[in-house]
Each structure stands twice: as C-alpha cells, then as structure tokens.
Amino acid sequence: MLKPDLNEAKKRTKDKALVYTDKYQITDELKKLGINKKYFIRTYGCQMNEHDTENIKAILEDMSFTETSKIEDADLILLNTCAIRENVHYKVFGFLGQLKSLKQQKPHVIIGLCGCMAQEEVVIEEILKKYSWLDIVFGTHNIHNLPNILERALAKKELEIEVFSNEGDIYENIPAKRESKYKAWVNIMYGCDKFCTYCIVPYTRGKQRSRLPEYIINEVKELVKEGYLEVTLLGQNVNAYGKDLDINYNMANLLEDVAKTGIKIVRFLTSHPWDFTDDMIEVIKNNSNIMPHIHLPLQSGSDKILKLMGRRYTKEDYIKLYNKLKENIPNCAITTDIIVGFPNETEEDFNETLDVVNKCQFDSAFTFIFSPRVGTPAAKMKDNVDIETKEKRLQQLNELINYYALEANKKYLNKTVTVLIEGFSEKKDGLLFGYTDTMKLVNVKGEEKYIGKIVDVKITETKTWSLDGKIC
Ligand code: 5AD
Ligand code: SF4
C-alpha cells in the first residue's frame, strides 16, 4: 500500500523531471486480463482529467476490456476524480455509497478511484475507514502502472492503493483513446509550481514539467495525418511552458511550431496573467490557425486578496495585460475564473472584483465560492466571510457576468462565423454544435454529413451562453 503524503507532494527540488519512453509496458498475460470484461468510467473536473481518462481507456483496451456506458453491465468501474473544490468530494463519496450495494450484489466487480482526490491524504483516510470494500485507488502519477495495479488487486482480493506523492516524471508512451475524431487534447506540460494559496493542484499534480517540444510537435503531426482538425494544448499554466527545460524554447516558440504543422485550429489552456509575453501575443496575432481566445483567470480584483491568494499581480497589472491583448489580437475573446468569499474579502474587495468585470466585460467566466482544501495555506486562514454573504456575492457577480456574456454574443447577430461541427448536441434535439474561433458555442440545424467539417455559419439568434445559426 502506497499512500499519499502532502509533505512530500509539497517539496520542490532542483532535479529535472525524467522523461521515460518505455515505462508503460504490458505483458502478453496482462493483455488478456480484460477479455470478455467491460469497463465504465466517470470523469470529474478539468480537461486534464478528461485527457487522463482517454489514457486510462486506451490502457484498459490494451488489456482487452471493452467500454460500456451502462454501469450495470460493467466488470470494472472507475471514478476519475477532481480535488479542486469540495463539491466533487461529496459527489464522489455519494456515488461510492451507491456503488456499495452493487458491490455486495456482484462481488466480482472491481471498483476503483483515481485522479486528484486519490492524491489527498484526507480522502485516503476516509476510504480506509469507510470504503475499504473498494478494490483499487491510484494516483495521477501512477496511470502508466494501471495494468500491474489491477493484476495485484485481483490476486490479493483486497484494497490496493498506489499513490506516488513525488514531484513527478514524464511518461511519453502512454496510449490515448480519444473521445473525438476531429479535436484532440494535447498535454504540453504537467503540474504547477505557482502554489496559489487556495489551490490543491501543485500537491495533486506535482511540479511543473514541460514535455520536450519534439514529442509535442510529433504528436500534433500524427494527429494531422489521422485527420484531426483541432488541438487544444493543455497545461495548468501554459505560458510558463519551457521554463523548466534547459533549452532556449518557450510558449511562443511552441505555439509557432504547432501552428506550422498545418493543423487547422490551435487552442490553448490555461494562461496565468503573470507569464504572458509580448512574443506570445505576436505569434497569436500572426498565425491565423491560432484561435483568438484567451482564458485568463482573474480570481479577484482586489490587490489585498490577490496578495493573500499569492497570485503575484495587481488589479492594474491584470487590466493592463487585458488591454494589451485586446488591442493587439484582433477580435480576441477573453474569459476568466473568479473566486468570491476568499478569507478576509470585504465588501470593498468584492467591489474591486466587480469593477474589473465592468472594465473588462469578459466574454464569459467560471465563478466559484472559495472552497478550503486541506493542506493549502488558505485553508488555514480564518474564513471570516459567512456563507450567506458568499452566496449573495456569487449571485451578484453571476448577474454581471451574464449581462456582459449576452452583450458580447449580441455582436455576432447576422455575422458569419467559421465553425468545426463536432456532432449532434446532447441537450438540443436534432441540432448540430461547434465552437467559433472565440470559443462560443454555436447550435445549427443540419445533417450528419456536416460532422467533422469546418463550415460557415450565419448567426440568427444570440443568447447568454450560445448562438444559433444557419449553415451558409
Ligand atoms: N476554491 C474555489 N475555487 C477554486 N479554484 C481553484 N481552487 C479553488 C478553491 N480552493 C478555481 C480557480 C481556478 C479554477 C480552475 O478553479 O478559479 O482558476
Ligand atoms: Fe492552481 Fe495557481 Fe497553479 Fe492555477 S496557477 S493550478 S490556480 S496553483
């Protein structure tokens, strides 16, 4: 049993991350382990986790498991979890509670938990106390070893936990079963060294480690060959890409090289306001296949709160960068993340946040109430903002965000936009969907033949969170 250790997870040494190209290995015997068995996987959280799920699926299929969307048919059930806020924590444990009776009825079913929650000491303690009927728990650094973890669990018939809490290495040969045939997530880096005081990610995902450019470029070139039209470059803090490598190569260089592969659409997530360079702005501006959309988390508009959050920029720095992006990148959409109710946030601090929203008029935003995460510095701060105030602030903020989101969308009325049609909408019967270059959801009437095609769409109606249109 290898349990997580927060103190270890916090450590940062000067050691370079090791790049392994052969760590994921699977014996002929393990390749047969899943014959006639089905797996069901549920994913919580960010795109990084979605992509981890694509890796996990490919590994399971290498072991001959097949996927099912019906939990009652599954021989293996995995929850790939998120630790960023406590709401997922309760959802996951609620779901595990339901799975207990399934396990009692069908003891052969393997039930496992992985992802960021597996990296939390408190979660493992709770599992050992109340959910020890689980079969496997593995961490974000252990995905490559899933075949062996499963084999051990099956042999022992008792809970198998394997969670490394190291700074992390890079495993280059893990396969992926991609969700889409047209757009792909591509990790460019793992982990984070920013240690914003509220955030659990530097503990659950390890230190910042950039993939070598040649691996990324080759992956994108392969995707182009396979017919992919879009890539989203993923990292917790993509504009710090390359800082941990000894080669003189940064995010601007990477964006340019990815654009040169000929892939039609390049997106990237997430940018930190701190590392955004003028070179990046130039590259985005000069390459028409790099989309003019920047997700630039603000978190708070108050200098006092930003300092307590450890964000290392001021309200003025943020607005300056925002204006520079808007002035230099034509038609640039900017979206953001904002936390309300951080410890010590006063009405004036909150008004500073509203002031930035009024000045920046974001295209859209994800807004959250501060959620204390055990082990982070902010969780030790005295939380002196009561829940009613937090909820009131969130509501007030959302009203303003929604107002500007609709205003931004209204500008699209009667305009023609280019959209990669991704498929039929799950929510809207018979409608196809895709996104504009600025990442606005577009719903259109149309037939299946348009799926996987980049088409021109005339916008006929604008709403707060989406646009309706007609294929031209
Ligand atoms: N509480 C609330 N929101 C958080 N985020 C990260 N950690 C927390 C937390 N402890 C939000 C930030 C981040 C987004 C991914 O999640 O806004 O940008
Ligand atoms: Fe968390 Fe800050 Fe790193 Fe983003 S930059 S993952 S908020 S520590």
Side-chain angles (χ1 to χ4, degrees):
M1 183 175 303
L2 206 54
K3 296 196 284 180
D5 179 331
L6 267 179
N7 281 328
E8 282 301 312
K10 201 168 2 186
K11 273 189 200 156
R12 292 295 185 266
T13 65
K14 292 219 159 23
D15 298 345
K16 288 257 162 290
L18 299 172
V19 180
Y20 293 103
T21 53
D22 57 356
K23 268 275 162 147
Y24 169 66
Q25 287 196 0
I26 178 159
T27 59
D28 285 345
E29 208 158 299
L30 284 175
K31 279 188 187 153
K32 296 185 210 139
L33 201 88
I35 290 178
N36 295 329
K37 292 194 177 120
K38 294 194 172 124
Y39 71 89
F40 170 95
I41 180 160
R42 180 172 289 180
T43 311
Y44 301 84
C46 66
Q47 290 86 358
M48 198 79 73
N49 240 24
E50 300 272 356
H51 189 40
D52 283 354
T53 289
E54 293 182 336
N55 291 135
I56 292 168
K57 285 183 178 182
I59 295 176
L60 292 173
E61 297 195 10
D62 273 0
M63 298 174 77
S64 306
F65 284 93
T66 51
E67 186 171 5
T68 175
S69 57
K70 290 191 192 140
I71 200 160
E72 59 277 13
D73 291 346
D75 304 281
L76 167 65
I77 299 170
L78 275 182
L79 310 189
N80 187 10
T81 62
C82 166
I84 212 140
R85 282 172 295 275
E86 66 196 340
N87 55 347
V88 170
H89 180 107
Y90 294 119
K91 266 191 213 163
V92 166
F93 277 112
F95 192 27
L96 284 182
Q98 291 170 26
L99 290 178
K100 189 175 179 182
S101 49
L102 187 143
K103 178 81 182 166
Q104 280 162 345
Q105 286 159 23
K106 298 199 227 167
H108 82 277
V109 176
I110 298 278
I111 302 185
L113 180 143
C114 59
C116 286
M117 274 175 67
Q119 300 290 141
E120 292 182 279
E121 285 176 12
V122 281
V123 168
I124 299 299
E125 278 162 26
E126 194 163 344
I127 287 175
L128 288 172
K129 253 194 238 146
K130 296 196 222 145
Y131 300 83
S132 56
W133 50 268
L134 271 171
D135 299 282
I136 53 171
V137 174
F138 60 97
T140 58
H141 303 294
N142 305 78
I143 293 173
H144 65 283
N145 207 22
L146 176 56
N148 297 311
I149 297 170
L150 264 174
E151 187 187 35
R152 285 203 304 265
L154 285 167
K156 280 198 317 188
K157 297 201 166 37
E158 64 182 51
L159 174 58
E160 171 68 25
I161 298 181
E162 185 182 296
V163 182
F164 294 161
S165 293
N166 52 11
E167 297 179 295
D169 293 316
I170 296 181
Y171 302 105
E172 280 297 346
N173 70 331
I174 304 183
K177 182 195 175 197
R178 298 191 188 269
E179 228 23 74
S180 160
K181 285 192 284 194
Y182 317 109
K183 61 180 224 177
W185 310 114
V186 174
N187 275 322
I188 62 167
M189 61 208 295
Y190 304 95
C192 181
D193 287 342
K194 289 276 190 280
F195 285 99
C196 299
T197 58
Y198 51 82
C199 187
I200 191 88
V201 168
Y203 309 83
T204 60
R205 295 251 165 204
K207 75 173 165 203
Q208 176 181 314
R209 41 211 205 279
S210 303
R211 286 178 75 196
L212 291 167
E214 54 266 36
Y215 287 109
I216 301 169
I217 305 298
N218 282 342
E219 185 173 341
V220 178
K221 282 184 178 161
E222 279 303 310
L223 289 165
V224 174
K225 267 198 227 154
E226 288 168 33
Y228 279 83
L229 299 168
E230 173 175 331
V231 291
T232 302
L233 308 179
L234 287 182
Q236 297 298 343
N237 177 20
V238 291
N239 25 1
Y241 172 81
K243 287 192 171 185
D244 52 304
L245 296 172
D246 274 340
I247 52 176
N248 193 10
Y249 191 91
N250 57 30
M251 184 59 178
N253 304 125
L254 181 68
L255 274 174
E256 194 156 36
D257 285 343
V258 169
K260 276 194 215 143
T261 61
I263 187 98
K264 296 270 187 268
I265 300 171
V266 181
R267 303 185 189 273
F268 55 98
L269 278 174
T270 292
S271 299
H272 189 295
W274 195 27
D275 295 308
F276 220 108
T277 63
D278 291 352
D279 285 349
M280 275 177 70
I281 297 178
E282 274 303 292
V283 172
I284 298 166
K285 186 167 95 180
N286 295 334
N287 287 277
S288 58
N289 55 346
I290 303 180
M291 298 299 103
H293 165 232
I294 291 154
H295 187 63
L296 194 71
L298 165 69
Q299 312 299 8
S300 168
S302 148
D303 287 346
K304 180 188 95 189
I305 299 297
L306 285 170
K307 200 158 191 194
L308 286 173
M309 288 176 162
R311 290 292 286 179
R312 306 181 216 198
Y313 55 83
T314 61
K315 171 185 177 186
E316 196 190 333
D317 295 335
Y318 185 94
I319 295 175
K320 237 193 212 161
L321 173 61
Y322 177 95
N323 288 333
K324 190 151 75 171
L325 293 168
K326 281 282 191 190
E327 278 157 24
N328 286 285
I329 304 171
N331 184 35
C332 182
I334 299 185
T335 54
T336 199
D337 291 343
I338 297 173
I339 298 175
V340 298
F342 193 78
N344 298 301
E345 185 188 68
T346 61
E347 212 53 36
E348 281 109 69
D349 295 319
F350 177 61
N351 285 335
E352 293 285 327
T353 299
L354 296 180
D355 186 45
V356 180
V357 174
N358 280 319
K359 290 198 164 95
C360 294
Q361 309 188 358
F362 296 106
D363 284 82
S364 74
F366 295 111
T367 55
F368 313 101
I369 288 178
F370 166 68
S371 174
R373 309 311 296 137
V374 175
T376 62
K380 294 189 196 99
M381 296 177 192
K382 190 165 181 294
D383 192 353
N384 45 9
V385 187
D386 60 73
I387 185 68
E388 288 77 26
T389 308
K390 289 179 199 238
E391 277 167 0
K392 198 181 93 222
R393 287 182 190 162
L394 183 69
Q395 198 189 341
Q396 201 181 339
L397 175 64
N398 283 344
E399 277 165 20
L400 200 60
I401 293 290
N402 293 356
Y403 171 77
Y404 287 118
L406 182 59
E407 287 302 299
N409 280 355
K410 278 184 190 165
K411 295 185 187 134
Y412 284 74
L413 191 63
N414 296 324
K415 297 246 161 73
T416 299
V417 292
T418 307
V419 178
L420 162 58
I421 301 293
E422 294 186 20
F424 281 106
S425 166
E426 275 179 23
K427 291 190 191 138
K428 308 217 164 156
D429 262 1
L431 289 185
L432 297 165
F433 78 99
Y435 293 86
T436 63
D437 56 349
T438 50
M439 206 57 197
K440 298 198 180 286
L441 174 62
V442 180
N443 288 303
V444 290
K445 275 212 190 90
E447 302 115 65
E448 199 169 348
K449 67 175 185 198
Y450 291 110
I451 297 175
K453 302 276 179 325
I454 296 177
V455 297
D456 284 340
V457 174
K458 175 138 187 233
I459 300 303
T460 51
E461 199 179 334
T462 60
K463 302 172 181 163
T464 305
W465 299 120
S466 64
L467 307 169
D468 287 347
K470 275 199 310 228
I471 296 179
C472 305

